[in-house]
Amino acid sequence: MDVTLFDFNLPKDRIALRPASPRDSARLLVVRPDGHEDKAIPDLPSCLLPGDCVVGNDTRVIPARLFGLRGEAKVEVTLHKRLDDTCWIAFARPAKKCRPGDVINFNGLKALVIARNGGEVTLRFDSNDLDGALAVHGVMPLPPYIAALRPVDGQDKDDYQTIFNRRPGAVAAPTAGLHFTDKVLKALEARGISSETLTLHVGAGTFLPVKADNTDDHKMHSEWGEISEKTAERLNAVRASGGRIVAVGTTSLRLLESAADERGIIHPFSGDTDIFITPGYRFRAVDVLLTNFHLPKSTLFMLVSAFCGLERMQAAYAHAIENEYRFYSYGDASLLFPSPADESP
């Protein structure tokens, strides 16, 4: 498909630079096949049905941005995929300053460049406790559209983690989960709505622009995810009993769809996924999607257009912009109900 179909004009003042406070005070645009409705996050339980199950992503964001020197040359890297306990693939700026065999000194934390591929480098760090070292030397990797407008600060260490966070490894937050609080989870439980978690370590590739003119020519970066056997069993039981799977964020949706077979049965999963969802995709596992508002021409706006239909999402986003919803990672949320099965998106 022509990438320009997914373009729209977004005023810069719609980009949220801080999350709503408290978190569950964010607005919620409910998008159904027959239109859209303005709500708020506390209304989420009433928008769902007893027997449904919300599925969050329990990844934890690590301080994955590092600033260092290769000799006297300044280098900035953003880790985006862990290979083992000491090796990461990272985006480097400027990558041409990072040749295999070079050592980059991040203020005492050193890394050997063992490979370079375009703007990416593979780094081997000299630490036996890399997670601990990153906590000292790294900076929270705020999305570029926020980091370009204000500096990262100490508040982001808490703001950019979801209530589900448990397993370190992401370099971007699964931001739909930022709206959840203990109060919201208790309200869902009281309505008879269960919750589960899976893990998808979100990579910095999620922020890469689509440079191709046609979606067929875009290559997605892969990300590592895991769904346990017990979680898969419980999710399949939810659907078997007539409940719906509600993905909290596009990360949860992408992993669930990667793990589902043609019949919609969710299988245990552990490994990489580079699934790229565009209009025409037939969803197998996810019935409802809670997600933030995404960038023009992004893979994530393509995904929500596949879920609800391009025209419906264009109308919903136009409404959100006109009514001053807050966009992107720290912004408001939308609750999406898909197009009827017999309607082409």
Side-chain angles (χ1 to χ4, degrees), residues 102-313:
D102 288 344
V103 174
I104 306 174
N105 188 339
F106 300 105
N107 195 29
L109 174 63
K110 295 181 181 180
L112 174 69
V113 180
I114 58 177
R116 184 179 74 185
N117 180 18
E120 292 182 327
V121 293
T122 302
L123 302 175
R124 178 179 291 124
F125 290 88
D126 66 348
S127 173
N128 293 325
D129 177 17
L130 185 53
D131 288 339
L134 290 175
V136 174
H137 299 279
V139 174
M140 267 322 235
L142 280 189
Y145 43 78
I146 295 177
L149 298 176
R150 70 162 177 84
V152 180
D153 58 32
Q155 187 175 334
D156 293 306
K157 290 183 179 180
D158 293 324
D159 285 350
Y160 204 50
Q161 301 284 8
T162 76
I163 194 173
F164 303 109
N165 83 84
R166 183 173 62 89
R167 301 181 68 180
V171 300
T175 53
L178 295 178
H179 303 294
F180 283 76
T181 60
D182 286 331
K183 183 178 179 180
V184 172
L185 291 174
K186 288 177 181 177
L188 288 166
E189 183 180 4
R191 184 159 163 77
I193 299 164
S194 59
S195 62
E196 296 285 346
T197 58
L198 46 71
T199 305
L200 184 75
H201 289 324
V202 192
T206 191
F207 301 125
L208 290 180
V210 177
K211 295 181 179 179
D213 295 328
N214 192 290
T215 57
D216 291 341
D217 299 322
H218 177 71
K219 177 177 173 53
M220 289 284 286
H221 275 75
S222 63
E223 296 164 316
W224 184 88
E226 185 170 74
I227 299 174
S228 71
E229 183 175 356
K230 290 184 177 180
T231 298
E233 289 176 355
R234 289 193 292 265
L235 292 176
N236 290 326
V238 166
R239 295 190 101 194
S241 62
R244 297 175 299 183
I245 302 298
V246 183
V248 179
T250 57
T251 61
S252 294
L253 179 146
R254 291 178 64 245
L255 189 58
L256 288 165
E257 292 295 318
S258 299
D261 62 24
E262 290 288 342
R263 299 171 297 158
I265 302 300
I266 298 167
H267 296 271
F269 186 99
S270 183
D272 289 344
T273 178
D274 60 358
I275 188 172
F276 179 27
I277 296 174
T278 58
Y281 177 87
R282 185 178 68 83
F283 289 86
R284 304 170 179 177
V286 175
D287 303 296
V288 184
L289 172 62
L290 178 76
T291 184
N292 285 20
F293 292 95
H294 304 293
L295 282 72
K297 296 197 294 186
S298 65
T299 60
L300 300 183
F301 185 63
M302 294 171 190
L303 184 155
V304 297
S305 297
F307 197 73
C308 277
L310 177 57
E311 290 186 5
R312 188 171 296 130
M313 292 313 301

